[in-house]
Amino acid sequence: MIHFAWPGMLLCLPLPWLLARWLPVARPDGAALFVPFAATVAAQGTLGASPRPRWRQLLFVLIWLALIAAAVRPQWLGAPEPVPTTGRRLLLAVDVSGSMATQDMAGGYSRLQVVQSIAGDFIRRRHGDQVGLILFGTQPYLQAPLTTDLKTVDQFLGEAVVGIAGKQTAIGDAIGLAIKRLRADPAQAHHAGDTVLILLTDGENTAGAMPPLNAAKLAADSKLRVYTIGVGAPVENGFFGSSGNTDLDEDTLKKIAAATGGEYFRANDAGDLRKIYARIDQLEPAAGRDQWYRPSSEWFAWPLTLALLLSVPAVVLRGRS
């Protein structure tokens, strides 16, 4: 649609008429030159300028209208488009060790399948953020680097399978890989405090070269906030009721979160996990959720060019009129 950026310039439209209407006619000022044959000239014709030709008046009107049309700055606005903003940087570290095949969080679905569904919804909500994906088992792997292409990250998470990175669990190495990737990014200095790691696991650290708490200290030094999520249904323990997931090292996960300024969450089922990701959405809101812009094309050059072209005959033919 057409839009005028400076519509106030239309107030200048009657300016030539106002000047001609209210300003007095210019009169010669100072001593007059005596010309002996002036009387003869006066007798042959009437002194004064001849009236301006009508075509020339029309030409000046067109030039002025074209200048006003350029001054209001016409633009063509396109359809609204989302702004590709750069907000927070989120890395999701997801445990794909052998125990993630356990079907105890929702009927007929494994822990990993529940995580894929709920974390996938979380990823798709992060408009304006850069999201990356780390899959870890015995070793961690960067499945998707930080990117605004949320659809691809969601796809990579959905394609993950249990055991793809080994059967054991290397929590410390997963945190270490996240730190390494962030330090390798030259933009890290500009995102201090806006970088988050969400680490999800159902077990304890049983592999890897870096102890989890040492990795947490390095993460704190790198200003990387770590939110830890422990998943798995509680295990019944006879007369004493539920004793929790016996493979889950909740104490270490709590210390990792506390050392980095994050939080620890416990998910016993799919409902708990959905609430956890909603809570993280509140703690770390997406930056560019409702930002849009309309691309515009400037059209002022066309009437300005017309005014310049019309001024050529107005000047060239002046002496012939």
Side-chain angles (χ1 to χ4, degrees), residues 14-275:
L15 188 59
W17 179 84
L18 292 174
L19 292 177
R21 178 72 175 81
W22 297 105
L23 287 182
V25 179
R27 299 183 181 276
D29 188 16
L33 178 65
F34 175 74
V35 181
F37 53 87
T40 306
V41 175
Q44 294 178 354
T46 303
L47 289 175
S50 60
R52 182 177 298 171
R54 190 171 185 82
W55 68 267
R56 199 150 176 260
Q57 291 180 356
L58 179 60
L59 194 59
F60 280 120
V61 170
L62 292 177
I63 291 174
W64 181 249
L65 291 176
L67 289 175
I68 292 297
V72 297
R73 194 178 165 192
Q75 300 172 329
W76 178 262
L77 298 182
E81 297 179 3
V83 178
T85 58
T86 301
R88 287 177 173 79
R89 303 194 304 170
L90 282 81
L91 274 170
L92 275 67
V94 178
D95 187 351
V96 290
S97 62
S99 57
M100 288 294 287
T102 306
Q103 300 177 355
D104 62 350
M105 294 184 66
Y109 295 97
S110 68
R111 293 173 180 174
L112 180 58
Q113 288 174 323
V114 172
V115 171
Q116 287 170 326
S117 174
I118 299 175
D121 291 338
F122 173 80
I123 292 172
R124 291 189 292 271
R125 293 195 300 267
R126 302 305 302 190
H127 300 294
D129 290 340
Q130 299 180 55
V131 180
L133 176 64
I134 293 175
L135 301 178
F136 69 95
T138 307
Q139 293 179 331
Y141 295 94
L142 182 68
Q143 192 72 0
L146 285 166
T147 177
T148 55
D149 187 357
L150 306 181
K151 183 178 180 180
T152 298
V153 179
D154 179 28
Q155 178 181 344
F156 284 164
L157 175 61
E159 293 173 350
V161 295
V162 172
I164 190 174
K167 299 295 185 180
Q168 295 179 295
T169 307
I171 296 175
D173 283 5
I175 299 174
L177 177 59
I179 298 171
K180 180 180 179 181
R181 296 300 305 178
L182 294 175
R183 286 182 175 178
D185 185 354
Q188 165 67 18
H190 302 289
H191 293 268
D194 289 331
T195 307
V196 174
L197 172 65
I198 303 174
L199 185 142
L200 182 146
T201 183
D202 67 342
E204 60 181 343
N205 191 76
T206 57
M210 180 175 291
L213 296 183
N214 290 354
K217 293 179 181 178
L218 292 176
D221 293 339
S222 301
K223 298 183 180 180
L224 172 65
R225 267 192 313 283
V226 182
Y227 292 91
T228 53
I229 303 175
V231 298
V235 178
E236 298 297 330
N237 191 17
F239 295 104
F240 299 100
S242 300
S243 63
N245 184 352
T246 55
D247 294 329
L248 187 62
D249 186 359
E250 290 191 89
D251 184 57
T252 296
L253 296 179
K254 290 177 181 177
K255 290 179 180 179
I256 292 172
T260 59
E263 290 189 25
Y264 167 71
F265 302 96
R266 180 73 170 89
N268 295 323
D269 53 33
D272 288 345
L273 189 59
R274 188 172 287 105
K275 292 177 182 178

